[in-house]
Amino acid sequence: MTRQTTLRTFLSCEHRYLLNPAASCDSDLELFTFLGILMGVAIRTRKPLDLHLAPLVWKQLVAVPLVPEDIEEVDLLFMQSLRGIRDIHESGVDEHTFAEIIPIESFETQSADGRFVPTCPGGHNIHLTFMNRTEYVESALQYRLHEVDHQVAAIREGMGWIIPVPLLSLLTAEKLEQMVCGSKEVSIEMLKKVVRYREVEPTDPLVTWLWSTLESFSREERVLFMRFVSGRSRLPTTASDMSQRFQIVKVDREPNSLPTAQTCFFQLRLPSYTGPDILADRLRYAINNCRSIDLDNYMLTRNTAEDDGDDEEEF
């Protein structure tokens, strides 16, 4: 499985993702099945995935039939085009001028991945006319409503290896997304509920400064902080679902040095900073510039640099 193949499995849609209808060969469907396995594991272990799927995908996964409004949410231009063809007579167009206005010649439409495909079997050979435009609109809409049925079935099959899939029909699309992906917001209050202090007291000014800094962070900064200390971007929806305690450790290092983290232990290690501004500055620098997790990438880069005779190291 290559990164290129995996990325072709999805199509971006306003920072969300749609399933790719063109990814339909056996190897592609195996990837969708594997995705389903990962989603099932996320539910079973309560370890959220940072998975930004479009709302209609979650709706399909809980076996709720799609409606035209679902397609409109991800492809407004497509639905506007269909309505324009259906209601074109209101603009004074008739059977004699229809072909001059509409560039489509047969029962073909644009799929979610941008390909032009037949809307029904033999659609290439069905000529689009003013008289059959309503049938065309309906067939094009039905194609888009069901174009990724095979991909959805593959994901559900993978989920079925881990969890009882029939129970999905008891969930809403929003609840399933929450179970797989956790909370969209990084809750500082939840972190406070599961924190464990080591070598430092809860009343220590260092701790007070840290919580104040985290509360002042933007949503994006909180996500970066989570990635820095845990390797993940999301928290479970409730504190009871947290499988690890968040650890704050005071370490004996230079007061101006950067904080470090051990993602395997959900641990943040802080030097004895002399003020809140220094703590905030060092923490922001660390979460924005740290490119490795538990030094894995650092060691790989270092070994490569040594082999090449290059002493440059990556933070």
Side-chain angles (χ1 to χ4, degrees):
M1 180 177 64
T2 65
R3 181 180 297 272
Q4 184 179 12
T5 302
T6 303
L7 291 179
R8 280 204 305 266
T9 307
F10 302 97
L11 295 172
S12 179
C13 174
E14 295 183 355
H15 308 297
R16 292 291 188 118
Y17 289 93
L18 299 173
L19 306 183
N20 188 346
S24 57
C25 66
D26 290 343
S27 60
D28 287 330
L29 294 179
E30 287 177 1
L31 290 177
F32 283 117
T33 301
F34 181 66
L35 174 61
I37 294 173
L38 293 179
M39 294 168 71
V41 169
I43 293 174
R44 182 70 74 180
T45 62
R46 298 176 181 177
K47 294 186 184 241
L49 294 176
D50 188 23
L51 187 61
H52 301 274
L53 297 178
L56 63 81
V57 178
W58 298 108
K59 191 173 181 179
Q60 289 172 295
L61 291 175
V62 296
V64 174
L66 298 183
V67 295
E69 288 73 19
D70 295 318
I71 304 299
E72 187 167 24
E73 185 178 17
V74 298
D75 197 342
L76 177 61
L77 183 60
F78 173 80
M79 292 301 300
Q80 288 177 337
S81 298
L82 289 188
R83 293 193 187 100
I85 293 174
R86 183 194 63 191
D87 302 330
I88 199 169
H89 62 285
E90 297 178 358
S91 301
V93 177
D94 57 22
E95 57 187 306
H96 302 293
T97 56
F98 180 79
E100 299 175 5
I101 303 298
I102 301 301
I104 304 172
E105 297 181 353
S106 60
F107 272 44
E108 293 181 308
T109 192
Q110 195 169 28
S111 65
D113 63 327
R115 295 173 300 126
F116 280 92
V117 295
T119 64
C120 59
H124 291 300
N125 300 318
I126 302 177
H127 187 62
L128 174 61
T129 66
F130 179 81
M131 300 304 295
N132 65 9
R133 71 186 189 283
T134 302
E135 289 80 2
Y136 166 79
V137 168
E138 180 61 26
S139 65
L141 180 58
Q142 287 303 313
Y143 171 81
R144 288 296 299 268
L145 291 173
H146 298 282
E147 65 179 337
V148 292
D149 283 356
H150 293 301
Q151 290 80 0
V152 170
I155 294 176
R156 285 173 59 90
E157 178 186 349
M159 296 178 72
W161 292 13
I162 309 297
I163 61 174
V165 167
L167 295 182
L168 293 180
S169 61
L170 302 178
L171 303 175
T172 64
E174 294 77 11
K175 182 61 177 178
L176 177 60
E177 180 180 10
Q178 191 178 76
M179 293 175 67
V180 173
C181 302
S183 175
K184 296 180 180 179
E185 302 292 334
V186 176
S187 171
I188 304 304
E189 290 304 314
M190 185 184 298
L191 289 178
K192 289 181 178 181
K193 292 179 181 178
V194 298
V195 71
R196 175 182 295 167
Y197 300 102
R198 293 178 52 188
E199 310 298 332
V200 67
E201 295 297 324
T203 56
D204 192 296
L206 186 68
V207 173
T208 303
W209 299 338
L210 172 64
W211 290 126
S212 178
T213 297
L214 293 179
E215 288 168 352
S216 70
F217 273 4
S218 65
R219 181 180 183 276
E220 292 74 18
E221 287 176 323
R222 292 185 182 187
V223 170
L224 289 174
F225 174 77
M226 277 299 301
R227 289 187 62 83
F228 180 70
V229 297
S230 70
R232 298 179 178 275
S233 301
R234 293 196 177 194
L235 289 170
T237 54
T238 62
S240 61
D241 288 339
M242 295 283 290
S243 59
Q244 284 181 300
R245 301 284 294 274
F246 173 45
Q247 299 181 53
I248 299 175
V249 185
K250 188 176 182 179
V251 294
D252 185 17
R253 297 180 61 190
E254 291 294 327
N256 289 330
S257 59
L258 292 167
T260 57
Q262 291 185 309
T263 57
C264 291
F265 301 104
F266 200 2
Q267 184 179 102
L268 176 66
R269 304 167 67 85
L270 294 173
S272 298
Y273 293 118
T274 56
D277 292 340
I278 295 178
L279 184 150
D281 177 73
R282 298 297 186 270
L283 187 58
R284 279 194 168 93
Y285 184 90
I287 65 176
N288 281 282
N289 292 277
C290 181
R291 304 177 187 176
S292 60
I293 295 178
D294 287 346
L295 298 181
D296 292 342
N297 292 341
Y298 167 79
M299 293 304 296
L300 179 61
T301 303
R302 180 179 180 181
N303 291 338
T304 302
E306 289 175 351
D307 293 341
D308 295 338
D310 188 352
D311 295 330
E312 183 178 354
E313 298 178 353
E314 179 181 24
F315 169 73

